[in-house]
Amino acid sequence: MKTKKLLLDIDDDEEEIHVGLLRLAKELPDYEFFYHLNHCNSFKFARIQDFVYHGMYYDYYFPRFEAYYSDSRVCIHFIANRSIESIQKKVSSELFFTEEETHFLLNHFQEVNYLIKTSEPFDDFSLILLPENLTFPVQNFQLSPEEDLYQLFQYYE
C-alpha cells in the first residue's frame, strides 16, 4: 500500500505589530511626563533597560518605560522615538554617510515622542489615561515584518 503525502497549509507570514504613536503638546523631560502619566493611572510606569539600536557607526539608546495593567495583566511599553545617547563604534571613512549622532526609530515621524506597544496583539490603547493638555490622541500604526524596527521589537519581547 502506498503512503499518501499530506501537504499542510502553513502560513509563514508574520503578523504586523500594532503600535501607538504619541505626540506631546509641549516639550517635557521624560520624568515629568511620566509623573503626570502615573498620576492619571492606577498602574505606574517605571524606566527599564534602554532600547538599543545598533547602527553601522553608532549604537543608539532609547529610553523605555513599562507598566502592568493589573486587571487584565497587559504589559504596556513606552519607547522614546528619539535617541538620548549614541556611542560611536567606528569612524566613517566615507564622504557621505547617513548616520548621525541622533537617531529616530521612525524617521518619517520625527514629531512623534513615544511609541506605545502592548503585550496584546490588538491596538487598543484606551487603557491608558493620558494627561490633559499635555498630549495629542494616540495614533495607531502598523509595523510590517519587512521593517528593521519590527525585528527589534521581536527581539525585545
Side-chain angles (χ1 to χ4, degrees):
M1 183 172 199
K2 227 176 180 186
T3 58
K4 188 176 182 180
K5 290 184 181 179
L6 293 175
L7 298 177
L8 298 176
D9 185 24
I10 299 175
D11 190 14
D12 285 339
D13 293 338
E14 296 175 343
E15 292 183 21
E16 294 181 331
I17 295 177
H18 299 275
V19 296
L21 305 181
L22 182 66
R23 293 168 178 85
L24 297 181
K26 62 180 181 178
E27 275 305 312
L28 290 174
D30 290 336
Y31 67 87
E32 188 174 342
F33 171 68
F34 282 97
Y35 169 78
H36 292 292
L37 188 64
N38 286 339
H39 187 65
C40 297
N41 294 285
S42 60
F43 48 90
K44 303 300 180 209
F45 284 91
R47 183 154 181 194
I48 59 173
Q49 183 180 7
D50 287 349
F51 189 86
V52 181
Y53 177 83
H54 300 286
M56 184 175 284
Y57 300 105
Y58 290 95
D59 285 340
Y60 301 100
Y61 294 85
F62 300 87
R64 190 166 59 134
F65 300 85
E66 174 183 78
Y68 288 94
Y69 186 69
S70 59
D71 294 343
S72 62
R73 296 184 184 177
V74 172
C75 181
I76 304 168
H77 290 273
F78 272 66
I79 304 167
N81 187 33
R82 182 182 180 152
S83 64
I84 59 162
E85 182 182 11
S86 61
I87 298 175
Q88 189 171 11
K89 296 190 289 189
K90 62 182 178 178
V91 178
S92 172
S93 60
E94 300 174 19
L95 182 57
F96 301 105
F97 66 100
T98 58
E99 285 189 34
E100 298 177 10
E101 286 188 38
T102 302
H103 186 71
F104 292 90
L105 289 175
L106 294 174
N107 203 29
H108 297 331
F109 296 99
Q110 292 186 4
E111 71 281 358
V112 169
N113 296 89
Y114 296 100
L115 283 73
I116 307 170
K117 184 179 177 322
T118 63
S119 59
E120 297 296 318
F122 53 86
D123 57 350
D124 181 20
F125 303 108
S126 63
L127 297 174
I128 308 165
L129 299 175
L130 298 172
E132 290 184 28
N133 302 326
L134 291 181
T135 63
F136 293 104
V138 175
Q139 176 187 351
N140 292 327
F141 186 75
Q142 295 180 351
L143 289 174
S144 66
E146 293 83 32
E147 298 183 46
D148 291 338
L149 190 55
Y150 181 93
Q151 302 302 328
L152 279 172
F153 277 165
Q154 294 291 18
Y155 174 77
Y156 278 97
E157 278 188 354

